[in-house]
Amino acid sequence: MKPALNVSGDEKELILQLRRYLEEKLTYLLDQNGTVSIGVSGGSMPRVFSKAILSLPQEQLNWKRIRIFMVDERNVDLDSEESNQGEYLRLFPNELRDVFVPMQIFKDPCLTAQHYEISLRKYLLPEQLNNTARFDILFLGVGPDGHTASIFPGKERLEKITELNWVSVITDSPKPPPSRITLTLQTLQHAKNVAFIICGKQKAEIVRGICDRDQKYPAAQARPFNDKLTLFLDEDAATGVPDRDSSDSDSPPPFDG
């Protein structure tokens, strides 16, 4: 199945496209589910994601049933400038801080990962398949090497350090800081919906790899369980889409099949 494409000319249009996608998905999920789980990444995503979801009509959102959690995180204190969750909390109003699934940081990243998996189970009670969580929506980014979350090329098989292997660690990240907590690849692959947000000419080749399922890129392996993948791209990144005119241009249905 070809990814659904959403190509934007600027950040304003990207935010509008993300808003439309979120409104569609949340309308359906809030009608069907108890708690809706949304996983988010770092980089430039906190800014655009926060603007998109906070621009939705607040009367349509039941924040008591929405939980946002980190797809990956650096093993740094919450008040560090390198903390992804810290950046989201700075962008969200104080009254919505409880929307985020907390991640307690320990000096030992393995301990951080173990406690984080417990928090995901406690706060989300996600649907599971073969003991693997099926989170509702994951928003992923990619690096110029094709990594996604904190899963880097050649390091896809992370050590099993938690009970259910939803979460693992990397202690030798090619990008600093070296210690990171991340959802495992199998967890990414069990999600109900996966959307990539990718911008920049330097990532056009990675976009091509995702579309062509080039297994040398971890990002290309992060297809959701139902194979319905959505790409939010700028014009530069979209130059990597093969046969762009024949690709699906609308968002996939809000249901997960």
Side-chain angles (χ1 to χ4, degrees), residues 4-27 29 38-42 44-57 60-61 88 92 137-141 193-199 229-234 249-252:
L5 296 182
N6 297 270
V7 181
S8 58
D10 55 28
E11 185 176 287
K12 182 178 179 180
E13 186 177 3
L14 169 61
I15 291 169
L16 287 174
Q17 291 173 346
L18 283 170
R19 170 181 166 157
R20 182 181 64 184
Y21 178 86
L22 280 164
E23 186 171 24
E24 180 185 68
K25 298 296 184 189
L26 289 174
T27 297
L29 290 167
I38 306 174
V40 292
S41 302
S44 60
M45 193 178 297
R47 183 181 69 256
V48 296
F49 175 84
S50 298
K51 287 182 178 180
I53 196 168
L54 293 176
S55 70
L56 289 171
Q60 293 183 11
L61 297 183
Y88 280 102
F92 269 67
I137 312 174
L138 300 183
F139 287 96
L140 305 178
N193 301 278
V194 172
F196 279 96
I197 302 175
I198 309 173
C199 297
L229 182 67
T230 301
L231 302 181
F232 292 93
L233 311 172
D234 67 0
S249 59
D250 296 323
S251 296

Short mmCIF file of all heavy atoms in Angstrom, two decimals, residues 4-27 29 38-42 44-57 60-61 88 92 137-141 193-199 229-234 249-252:
data_model
loop_
_atom_site.label_atom_id
_atom_site.label_comp_id
_atom_site.label_asym_id
_atom_site.label_seq_id
_atom_site.Cartn_x
_atom_site.Cartn_y
_atom_site.Cartn_z
N ALA A 4 -0.05 7.64 2.22
CA ALA A 4 -0.87 8.82 1.94
C ALA A 4 0.03 10.04 2.07
O ALA A 4 0.74 10.19 3.07
CB ALA A 4 -2.03 8.90 2.90
N LEU A 5 0.01 10.90 1.08
CA LEU A 5 0.91 12.05 1.04
C LEU A 5 0.19 13.34 1.41
O LEU A 5 -0.93 13.59 0.96
CB LEU A 5 1.52 12.21 -0.34
CG LEU A 5 2.43 11.10 -0.86
CD1 LEU A 5 2.97 11.48 -2.23
CD2 LEU A 5 3.56 10.82 0.11
N ASN A 6 0.87 14.15 2.20
CA ASN A 6 0.42 15.51 2.50
C ASN A 6 1.64 16.40 2.32
O ASN A 6 2.57 16.36 3.13
CB ASN A 6 -0.10 15.62 3.93
CG ASN A 6 -1.32 14.75 4.17
OD1 ASN A 6 -2.45 15.18 3.99
ND2 ASN A 6 -1.09 13.52 4.59
N VAL A 7 1.68 17.17 1.23
CA VAL A 7 2.84 18.00 0.91
C VAL A 7 2.50 19.46 1.14
O VAL A 7 1.49 19.96 0.64
CB VAL A 7 3.29 17.78 -0.56
CG1 VAL A 7 4.52 18.62 -0.87
CG2 VAL A 7 3.57 16.31 -0.81
N SER A 8 3.34 20.13 1.92
CA SER A 8 3.08 21.53 2.28
C SER A 8 4.14 22.45 1.70
O SER A 8 5.30 22.07 1.52
CB SER A 8 3.05 21.68 3.80
OG SER A 8 4.27 21.25 4.37
N GLY A 9 3.72 23.69 1.45
CA GLY A 9 4.64 24.69 0.92
C GLY A 9 5.38 25.44 1.99
O GLY A 9 6.44 26.01 1.75
N ASP A 10 4.82 25.47 3.20
CA ASP A 10 5.47 26.17 4.31
C ASP A 10 4.96 25.59 5.63
O ASP A 10 4.09 24.72 5.65
CB ASP A 10 5.22 27.68 4.23
CG ASP A 10 3.74 28.03 4.16
OD1 ASP A 10 2.90 27.26 4.69
OD2 ASP A 10 3.40 29.07 3.58
N GLU A 11 5.50 26.10 6.72
CA GLU A 11 5.14 25.56 8.03
C GLU A 11 3.67 25.80 8.35
O GLU A 11 3.01 24.94 8.95
CB GLU A 11 6.00 26.17 9.13
CG GLU A 11 5.75 25.57 10.51
CD GLU A 11 6.65 26.11 11.59
OE1 GLU A 11 7.84 25.74 11.59
OE2 GLU A 11 6.16 26.90 12.42
N LYS A 12 3.12 26.92 7.94
CA LYS A 12 1.71 27.21 8.20
C LYS A 12 0.82 26.15 7.57
O LYS A 12 -0.12 25.65 8.19
CB LYS A 12 1.35 28.59 7.67
CG LYS A 12 -0.09 28.99 7.94
CD LYS A 12 -0.38 30.40 7.42
CE LYS A 12 -1.84 30.79 7.68
NZ LYS A 12 -2.12 32.17 7.19
N GLU A 13 1.13 25.78 6.33
CA GLU A 13 0.33 24.76 5.65
C GLU A 13 0.53 23.40 6.30
O GLU A 13 -0.41 22.62 6.43
CB GLU A 13 0.71 24.70 4.17
CG GLU A 13 -0.16 23.76 3.36
CD GLU A 13 0.17 23.76 1.88
OE1 GLU A 13 1.13 24.47 1.47
OE2 GLU A 13 -0.51 23.03 1.12
N LEU A 14 1.76 23.10 6.73
CA LEU A 14 2.03 21.84 7.42
C LEU A 14 1.18 21.74 8.68
O LEU A 14 0.58 20.69 8.96
CB LEU A 14 3.52 21.76 7.78
CG LEU A 14 3.94 20.63 8.72
CD1 LEU A 14 3.64 19.26 8.12
CD2 LEU A 14 5.44 20.74 9.06
N ILE A 15 1.11 22.80 9.46
CA ILE A 15 0.33 22.79 10.69
C ILE A 15 -1.14 22.59 10.39
O ILE A 15 -1.85 21.84 11.08
CB ILE A 15 0.58 24.08 11.48
CG1 ILE A 15 2.02 24.08 12.02
CG2 ILE A 15 -0.43 24.23 12.63
CD1 ILE A 15 2.46 25.42 12.60
N LEU A 16 -1.65 23.20 9.32
CA LEU A 16 -3.05 23.02 8.93
C LEU A 16 -3.32 21.57 8.53
O LEU A 16 -4.37 21.02 8.86
CB LEU A 16 -3.40 23.97 7.78
CG LEU A 16 -3.54 25.45 8.15
CD1 LEU A 16 -3.74 26.29 6.89
CD2 LEU A 16 -4.69 25.66 9.12
N GLN A 17 -2.38 20.95 7.83
CA GLN A 17 -2.54 19.56 7.43
C GLN A 17 -2.52 18.64 8.65
O GLN A 17 -3.31 17.69 8.74
CB GLN A 17 -1.46 19.16 6.43
CG GLN A 17 -1.62 19.83 5.07
CD GLN A 17 -0.46 19.55 4.14
OE1 GLN A 17 0.60 19.07 4.58
NE2 GLN A 17 -0.63 19.84 2.87
N LEU A 18 -1.62 18.91 9.59
CA LEU A 18 -1.57 18.12 10.82
C LEU A 18 -2.85 18.29 11.63
O LEU A 18 -3.38 17.33 12.20
CB LEU A 18 -0.37 18.53 11.67
CG LEU A 18 1.00 18.04 11.23
CD1 LEU A 18 2.10 18.74 12.02
CD2 LEU A 18 1.11 16.53 11.39
N ARG A 19 -3.35 19.51 11.66
CA ARG A 19 -4.59 19.76 12.38
C ARG A 19 -5.74 18.95 11.78
O ARG A 19 -6.52 18.34 12.51
CB ARG A 19 -4.91 21.26 12.35
CG ARG A 19 -6.30 21.58 12.87
CD ARG A 19 -6.61 23.05 12.79
NE ARG A 19 -8.04 23.28 12.98
CZ ARG A 19 -8.58 24.42 13.40
NH1 ARG A 19 -7.81 25.43 13.68
NH2 ARG A 19 -9.88 24.53 13.53
N ARG A 20 -5.83 18.93 10.46
CA ARG A 20 -6.90 18.18 9.80
C ARG A 20 -6.78 16.69 10.11
O ARG A 20 -7.78 16.02 10.40
CB ARG A 20 -6.83 18.40 8.29
CG ARG A 20 -7.94 17.69 7.51
CD ARG A 20 -7.79 17.94 6.02
NE ARG A 20 -6.54 17.37 5.52
CZ ARG A 20 -6.12 17.52 4.27
NH1 ARG A 20 -6.81 18.24 3.41
NH2 ARG A 20 -4.99 16.95 3.88
N TYR A 21 -5.57 16.19 10.06
CA TYR A 21 -5.32 14.77 10.35
C TYR A 21 -5.70 14.45 11.79
O TYR A 21 -6.39 13.45 12.07
CB TYR A 21 -3.85 14.48 10.10
CG TYR A 21 -3.40 13.06 10.40
CD1 TYR A 21 -3.51 12.06 9.45
CD2 TYR A 21 -2.82 12.75 11.62
CE1 TYR A 21 -3.07 10.76 9.71
CE2 TYR A 21 -2.38 11.47 11.90
CZ TYR A 21 -2.51 10.48 10.94
OH TYR A 21 -2.07 9.20 11.22
N LEU A 22 -5.27 15.29 12.72
CA LEU A 22 -5.57 15.06 14.14
C LEU A 22 -7.07 15.13 14.40
O LEU A 22 -7.63 14.31 15.15
CB LEU A 22 -4.84 16.09 15.00
CG LEU A 22 -3.36 15.81 15.27
CD1 LEU A 22 -2.66 17.06 15.77
CD2 LEU A 22 -3.21 14.67 16.28
N GLU A 23 -7.73 16.09 13.79
CA GLU A 23 -9.17 16.23 14.00
C GLU A 23 -9.90 14.98 13.51
O GLU A 23 -10.80 14.46 14.17
CB GLU A 23 -9.69 17.46 13.27
CG GLU A 23 -11.15 17.75 13.54
CD GLU A 23 -11.58 19.10 13.00
OE1 GLU A 23 -10.94 19.60 12.05
OE2 GLU A 23 -12.56 19.67 13.51
N GLU A 24 -9.49 14.48 12.34
CA GLU A 24 -10.11 13.28 11.78
C GLU A 24 -9.90 12.07 12.67
O GLU A 24 -10.84 11.34 13.00
CB GLU A 24 -9.54 13.03 10.38
CG GLU A 24 -10.09 11.81 9.67
CD GLU A 24 -9.40 11.56 8.35
OE1 GLU A 24 -8.20 11.21 8.39
OE2 GLU A 24 -10.02 11.74 7.30
N LYS A 25 -8.66 11.87 13.06
CA LYS A 25 -8.33 10.69 13.88
C LYS A 25 -8.97 10.77 15.26
O LYS A 25 -9.55 9.79 15.75
CB LYS A 25 -6.82 10.55 14.02
CG LYS A 25 -6.06 10.34 12.72
CD LYS A 25 -6.43 9.06 12.06
CE LYS A 25 -5.59 8.83 10.81
NZ LYS A 25 -6.09 7.68 10.02
N LEU A 26 -8.85 11.92 15.90
CA LEU A 26 -9.35 12.04 17.27
C LEU A 26 -10.87 11.95 17.33
O LEU A 26 -11.43 11.39 18.27
CB LEU A 26 -8.86 13.34 17.90
CG LEU A 26 -7.37 13.39 18.22
CD1 LEU A 26 -6.95 14.77 18.71
CD2 LEU A 26 -6.99 12.33 19.25
N THR A 27 -11.54 12.51 16.32
CA THR A 27 -13.00 12.40 16.28
C THR A 27 -13.42 10.94 16.31
O THR A 27 -14.34 10.54 17.04
CB THR A 27 -13.56 13.09 15.03
OG1 THR A 27 -13.26 14.48 15.09
CG2 THR A 27 -15.08 12.91 14.94
N LEU A 29 -11.39 8.19 17.14
CA LEU A 29 -10.83 7.44 18.26
C LEU A 29 -11.54 7.75 19.58
O LEU A 29 -11.76 6.87 20.41
CB LEU A 29 -9.33 7.71 18.37
CG LEU A 29 -8.47 7.11 17.25
CD1 LEU A 29 -7.07 7.70 17.27
CD2 LEU A 29 -8.41 5.59 17.38
N ILE A 38 -1.23 9.03 21.96
CA ILE A 38 -0.52 9.71 20.88
C ILE A 38 0.96 9.78 21.23
O ILE A 38 1.34 10.42 22.22
CB ILE A 38 -1.05 11.13 20.65
CG1 ILE A 38 -2.57 11.12 20.42
CG2 ILE A 38 -0.34 11.79 19.46
CD1 ILE A 38 -3.18 12.51 20.32
N GLY A 39 1.79 9.10 20.44
CA GLY A 39 3.23 9.15 20.64
C GLY A 39 3.86 10.21 19.77
O GLY A 39 3.51 10.34 18.59
N VAL A 40 4.79 10.99 20.32
CA VAL A 40 5.42 12.08 19.58
C VAL A 40 6.94 12.00 19.73
O VAL A 40 7.46 11.46 20.70
CB VAL A 40 4.91 13.46 20.06
CG1 VAL A 40 3.46 13.66 19.68
CG2 VAL A 40 5.08 13.62 21.57
N SER A 41 7.62 12.56 18.74
CA SER A 41 9.08 12.58 18.73
C SER A 41 9.59 13.98 19.01
O SER A 41 8.80 14.91 19.26
CB SER A 41 9.59 12.08 17.38
OG SER A 41 9.12 10.77 17.11
N GLY A 42 10.91 14.15 18.95
CA GLY A 42 11.53 15.45 19.25
C GLY A 42 11.91 16.21 18.00
O GLY A 42 11.20 16.20 17.00
N SER A 44 12.20 19.12 15.50
CA SER A 44 11.33 20.26 15.23
C SER A 44 9.87 19.93 15.47
O SER A 44 9.00 20.81 15.39
CB SER A 44 11.51 20.71 13.77
OG SER A 44 11.16 19.67 12.88
N MET A 45 9.56 18.67 15.81
CA MET A 45 8.17 18.24 15.96
C MET A 45 7.44 18.93 17.11
O MET A 45 6.25 19.24 16.98
CB MET A 45 8.08 16.73 16.09
CG MET A 45 6.65 16.21 15.95
SD MET A 45 6.53 14.42 16.05
CE MET A 45 7.50 13.92 14.63
N PRO A 46 8.05 19.14 18.27
CA PRO A 46 7.29 19.76 19.36
C PRO A 46 6.58 21.04 18.94
O PRO A 46 5.42 21.26 19.28
CB PRO A 46 8.34 20.01 20.43
CG PRO A 46 9.35 18.93 20.21
CD PRO A 46 9.42 18.77 18.72
N ARG A 47 7.27 21.88 18.19
CA ARG A 47 6.68 23.17 17.80
C ARG A 47 5.47 22.99 16.89
O ARG A 47 4.39 23.53 17.15
CB ARG A 47 7.73 24.05 17.11
CG ARG A 47 7.21 25.43 16.75
CD ARG A 47 8.26 26.27 16.04
NE ARG A 47 8.54 25.77 14.70
CZ ARG A 47 9.64 25.09 14.35
NH1 ARG A 47 10.55 24.82 15.27
NH2 ARG A 47 9.82 24.67 13.12
N VAL A 48 5.62 22.20 15.82
CA VAL A 48 4.53 22.09 14.85
C VAL A 48 3.38 21.24 15.40
O VAL A 48 2.21 21.56 15.17
CB VAL A 48 5.03 21.54 13.50
CG1 VAL A 48 6.02 22.50 12.86
CG2 VAL A 48 5.64 20.16 13.64
N PHE A 49 3.70 20.17 16.13
CA PHE A 49 2.64 19.34 16.70
C PHE A 49 1.83 20.13 17.72
O PHE A 49 0.59 20.06 17.73
CB PHE A 49 3.22 18.09 17.34
CG PHE A 49 2.20 17.25 18.06
CD1 PHE A 49 1.41 16.33 17.38
CD2 PHE A 49 1.97 17.40 19.43
CE1 PHE A 49 0.45 15.58 18.02
CE2 PHE A 49 1.02 16.65 20.09
CZ PHE A 49 0.26 15.73 19.38
N SER A 50 2.51 20.86 18.59
CA SER A 50 1.81 21.62 19.62
C SER A 50 0.89 22.65 18.99
O SER A 50 -0.27 22.82 19.42
CB SER A 50 2.82 22.30 20.54
OG SER A 50 3.63 21.34 21.20
N LYS A 51 1.37 23.36 17.97
CA LYS A 51 0.53 24.35 17.30
C LYS A 51 -0.69 23.69 16.66
O LYS A 51 -1.80 24.24 16.70
CB LYS A 51 1.34 25.11 16.25
CG LYS A 51 2.34 26.10 16.83
CD LYS A 51 3.08 26.83 15.71
CE LYS A 51 4.03 27.87 16.28
NZ LYS A 51 4.77 28.59 15.22
N ALA A 52 -0.49 22.52 16.08
CA ALA A 52 -1.59 21.83 15.40
C ALA A 52 -2.66 21.37 16.37
O ALA A 52 -3.85 21.67 16.20
CB ALA A 52 -1.06 20.65 14.58
N ILE A 53 -2.28 20.65 17.41
CA ILE A 53 -3.29 20.09 18.30
C ILE A 53 -3.94 21.16 19.18
O ILE A 53 -5.14 21.08 19.48
CB ILE A 53 -2.71 18.94 19.16
CG1 ILE A 53 -3.85 18.11 19.77
CG2 ILE A 53 -1.76 19.46 20.24
CD1 ILE A 53 -3.40 16.79 20.38
N LEU A 54 -3.19 22.19 19.54
CA LEU A 54 -3.76 23.25 20.38
C LEU A 54 -4.64 24.20 19.59
O LEU A 54 -5.39 24.98 20.17
CB LEU A 54 -2.65 24.03 21.09
CG LEU A 54 -1.86 23.24 22.14
CD1 LEU A 54 -0.72 24.07 22.70
CD2 LEU A 54 -2.77 22.76 23.27
N SER A 55 -4.58 24.12 18.25
CA SER A 55 -5.44 24.95 17.42
C SER A 55 -6.79 24.29 17.16
O SER A 55 -7.70 24.92 16.60
CB SER A 55 -4.76 25.26 16.07
OG SER A 55 -4.68 24.09 15.26
N LEU A 56 -6.95 23.03 17.55
CA LEU A 56 -8.23 22.36 17.38
C LEU A 56 -9.27 22.98 18.31
O LEU A 56 -8.93 23.45 19.40
CB LEU A 56 -8.10 20.87 17.71
CG LEU A 56 -7.33 20.01 16.71
CD1 LEU A 56 -7.10 18.62 17.28
CD2 LEU A 56 -8.07 19.92 15.40
N PRO A 57 -10.54 22.98 17.90
CA PRO A 57 -11.59 23.49 18.79
C PRO A 57 -11.57 22.72 20.11
O PRO A 57 -11.82 21.51 20.13
CB PRO A 57 -12.87 23.24 18.00
CG PRO A 57 -12.44 23.16 16.57
CD PRO A 57 -11.08 22.55 16.59
N GLN A 60 -14.16 20.25 21.27
CA GLN A 60 -14.27 18.94 20.64
C GLN A 60 -13.35 17.90 21.27
O GLN A 60 -13.47 16.72 21.00
CB GLN A 60 -13.94 19.06 19.14
CG GLN A 60 -14.94 19.86 18.34
CD GLN A 60 -14.59 19.89 16.86
OE1 GLN A 60 -13.71 19.15 16.40
NE2 GLN A 60 -15.27 20.73 16.11
N LEU A 61 -12.40 18.37 22.08
CA LEU A 61 -11.41 17.47 22.66
C LEU A 61 -11.76 17.15 24.11
O LEU A 61 -12.04 18.05 24.90
CB LEU A 61 -10.02 18.09 22.60
CG LEU A 61 -9.45 18.38 21.22
CD1 LEU A 61 -8.04 18.94 21.35
CD2 LEU A 61 -9.44 17.13 20.36
N TYR A 88 7.98 19.90 25.09
CA TYR A 88 6.52 19.87 24.94
C TYR A 88 5.83 20.55 26.11
O TYR A 88 4.87 21.31 25.93
CB TYR A 88 6.03 18.42 24.82
CG TYR A 88 6.19 17.84 23.44
CD1 TYR A 88 7.24 16.96 23.16
CD2 TYR A 88 5.31 18.16 22.41
CE1 TYR A 88 7.40 16.42 21.89
CE2 TYR A 88 5.47 17.63 21.14
CZ TYR A 88 6.51 16.76 20.88
OH TYR A 88 6.68 16.24 19.62
N PHE A 92 3.03 23.57 25.95
CA PHE A 92 1.64 23.33 26.33
C PHE A 92 1.27 24.18 27.54
O PHE A 92 2.11 24.45 28.40
CB PHE A 92 1.41 21.86 26.66
CG PHE A 92 0.99 21.01 25.49
CD1 PHE A 92 1.86 20.78 24.44
CD2 PHE A 92 -0.28 20.45 25.44
CE1 PHE A 92 1.48 20.01 23.35
CE2 PHE A 92 -0.67 19.67 24.37
CZ PHE A 92 0.21 19.45 23.31
N ILE A 137 -1.80 6.45 17.71
CA ILE A 137 -1.13 7.26 16.68
C ILE A 137 0.30 7.50 17.12
O ILE A 137 0.55 7.91 18.26
CB ILE A 137 -1.80 8.63 16.48
CG1 ILE A 137 -3.32 8.53 16.34
CG2 ILE A 137 -1.21 9.32 15.25
CD1 ILE A 137 -4.03 9.88 16.30
N LEU A 138 1.24 7.27 16.21
CA LEU A 138 2.63 7.63 16.45
C LEU A 138 3.05 8.65 15.40
O LEU A 138 2.87 8.43 14.20
CB LEU A 138 3.54 6.41 16.37
CG LEU A 138 3.29 5.25 17.34
CD1 LEU A 138 4.33 4.17 17.15
CD2 LEU A 138 3.27 5.74 18.79
N PHE A 139 3.63 9.76 15.86
CA PHE A 139 4.22 10.75 14.97
C PHE A 139 5.74 10.59 15.04
O PHE A 139 6.34 10.75 16.10
CB PHE A 139 3.82 12.16 15.38
CG PHE A 139 2.39 12.50 15.07
CD1 PHE A 139 1.40 12.37 16.04
CD2 PHE A 139 2.02 12.94 13.81
CE1 PHE A 139 0.08 12.68 15.76
CE2 PHE A 139 0.71 13.25 13.51
CZ PHE A 139 -0.27 13.12 14.48
N LEU A 140 6.33 10.27 13.89
CA LEU A 140 7.76 9.99 13.84
C LEU A 140 8.48 11.00 12.95
O LEU A 140 7.90 11.54 12.00
CB LEU A 140 8.00 8.58 13.28
CG LEU A 140 7.31 7.42 13.98
CD1 LEU A 140 7.62 6.11 13.25
CD2 LEU A 140 7.73 7.33 15.44
N GLY A 141 9.74 11.22 13.27
CA GLY A 141 10.63 11.98 12.41
C GLY A 141 11.69 11.06 11.86
O GLY A 141 11.74 9.87 12.21
N ASN A 193 -1.81 3.66 13.79
CA ASN A 193 -1.55 4.71 12.80
C ASN A 193 -0.15 5.24 12.99
O ASN A 193 0.26 5.52 14.14
CB ASN A 193 -2.55 5.87 12.96
CG ASN A 193 -4.00 5.44 12.80
OD1 ASN A 193 -4.49 5.32 11.68
ND2 ASN A 193 -4.69 5.22 13.91
N VAL A 194 0.58 5.41 11.90
CA VAL A 194 1.92 5.99 11.94
C VAL A 194 1.99 7.11 10.92
O VAL A 194 1.61 6.93 9.76
CB VAL A 194 3.02 4.95 11.65
CG1 VAL A 194 4.38 5.64 11.50
CG2 VAL A 194 3.07 3.91 12.76
N ALA A 195 2.47 8.27 11.37
CA ALA A 195 2.65 9.42 10.48
C ALA A 195 4.06 9.95 10.64
O ALA A 195 4.53 10.16 11.77
CB ALA A 195 1.63 10.51 10.79
N PHE A 196 4.74 10.16 9.52
CA PHE A 196 6.06 10.78 9.52
C PHE A 196 5.92 12.26 9.18
O PHE A 196 5.13 12.63 8.31
CB PHE A 196 6.97 10.13 8.48
CG PHE A 196 7.60 8.84 8.92
CD1 PHE A 196 7.02 7.63 8.57
CD2 PHE A 196 8.77 8.83 9.66
CE1 PHE A 196 7.59 6.43 8.97
CE2 PHE A 196 9.35 7.64 10.05
CZ PHE A 196 8.77 6.43 9.70
N ILE A 197 6.69 13.09 9.86
CA ILE A 197 6.82 14.50 9.52
C ILE A 197 8.26 14.72 9.08
O ILE A 197 9.19 14.59 9.88
CB ILE A 197 6.46 15.41 10.71
CG1 ILE A 197 5.03 15.11 11.20
CG2 ILE A 197 6.60 16.88 10.33
CD1 ILE A 197 4.65 15.87 12.46
N ILE A 198 8.44 15.02 7.79
CA ILE A 198 9.79 15.07 7.22
C ILE A 198 9.94 16.32 6.37
O ILE A 198 9.14 16.56 5.46
CB ILE A 198 10.08 13.82 6.35
CG1 ILE A 198 9.75 12.53 7.12
CG2 ILE A 198 11.52 13.81 5.89
CD1 ILE A 198 9.85 11.27 6.27
N CYS A 199 10.97 17.09 6.65
CA CYS A 199 11.23 18.31 5.88
C CYS A 199 12.70 18.37 5.50
O CYS A 199 13.57 17.90 6.22
CB CYS A 199 10.87 19.55 6.71
SG CYS A 199 9.11 19.67 7.14
N LEU A 229 0.29 4.10 6.12
CA LEU A 229 1.32 5.05 6.52
C LEU A 229 0.98 6.42 5.94
O LEU A 229 0.56 6.53 4.78
CB LEU A 229 2.68 4.58 6.01
CG LEU A 229 3.90 5.42 6.38
CD1 LEU A 229 4.16 5.35 7.88
CD2 LEU A 229 5.12 4.92 5.61
N THR A 230 1.16 7.47 6.73
CA THR A 230 0.91 8.83 6.27
C THR A 230 2.21 9.62 6.33
O THR A 230 2.94 9.55 7.33
CB THR A 230 -0.15 9.51 7.15
OG1 THR A 230 -1.37 8.77 7.08
CG2 THR A 230 -0.42 10.93 6.67
N LEU A 231 2.50 10.37 5.27
CA LEU A 231 3.69 11.20 5.21
C LEU A 231 3.29 12.67 5.12
O LEU A 231 2.52 13.06 4.24
CB LEU A 231 4.54 10.85 3.98
CG LEU A 231 5.04 9.41 3.86
CD1 LEU A 231 5.89 9.25 2.60
CD2 LEU A 231 5.83 8.98 5.09
N PHE A 232 3.81 13.47 6.03
CA PHE A 232 3.69 14.92 5.96
C PHE A 232 5.06 15.45 5.52
O PHE A 232 6.05 15.32 6.25
CB PHE A 232 3.30 15.51 7.32
CG PHE A 232 1.90 15.15 7.74
CD1 PHE A 232 1.66 14.03 8.52
CD2 PHE A 232 0.83 15.94 7.35
CE1 PHE A 232 0.36 13.70 8.91
CE2 PHE A 232 -0.47 15.61 7.73
CZ PHE A 232 -0.70 14.49 8.51
N LEU A 233 5.12 16.04 4.33
CA LEU A 233 6.38 16.43 3.72
C LEU A 233 6.34 17.89 3.27
O LEU A 233 5.26 18.41 2.95
CB LEU A 233 6.68 15.56 2.49
CG LEU A 233 6.54 14.04 2.62
CD1 LEU A 233 6.67 13.39 1.26
CD2 LEU A 233 7.58 13.49 3.59
N ASP A 234 7.50 18.53 3.25
CA ASP A 234 7.58 19.79 2.53
C ASP A 234 7.96 19.49 1.08
O ASP A 234 8.23 18.34 0.72
CB ASP A 234 8.53 20.77 3.21
CG ASP A 234 10.00 20.34 3.17
OD1 ASP A 234 10.32 19.27 2.61
OD2 ASP A 234 10.84 21.09 3.71
N SER A 249 -3.03 11.01 -2.17
CA SER A 249 -2.79 12.37 -1.70
C SER A 249 -3.64 12.76 -0.51
O SER A 249 -3.46 13.82 0.07
CB SER A 249 -3.05 13.37 -2.84
OG SER A 249 -4.36 13.27 -3.30
N ASP A 250 -4.58 11.93 -0.15
CA ASP A 250 -5.45 12.24 0.98
C ASP A 250 -5.07 11.41 2.19
O ASP A 250 -4.43 10.37 2.06
CB ASP A 250 -6.93 11.96 0.63
CG ASP A 250 -7.41 12.87 -0.49
OD1 ASP A 250 -7.00 14.05 -0.50
OD2 ASP A 250 -8.19 12.39 -1.31
N SER A 251 -5.46 11.89 3.36
CA SER A 251 -5.20 11.13 4.57
C SER A 251 -5.96 9.81 4.53
O SER A 251 -7.05 9.73 3.97
CB SER A 251 -5.63 11.93 5.80
OG SER A 251 -4.87 13.10 5.93
N PRO A 252 -5.42 8.76 5.14
CA PRO A 252 -6.14 7.48 5.19
C PRO A 252 -7.35 7.60 6.11
O PRO A 252 -7.45 8.55 6.89
CB PRO A 252 -5.10 6.52 5.76
CG PRO A 252 -4.19 7.38 6.56
CD PRO A 252 -4.13 8.69 5.82
#
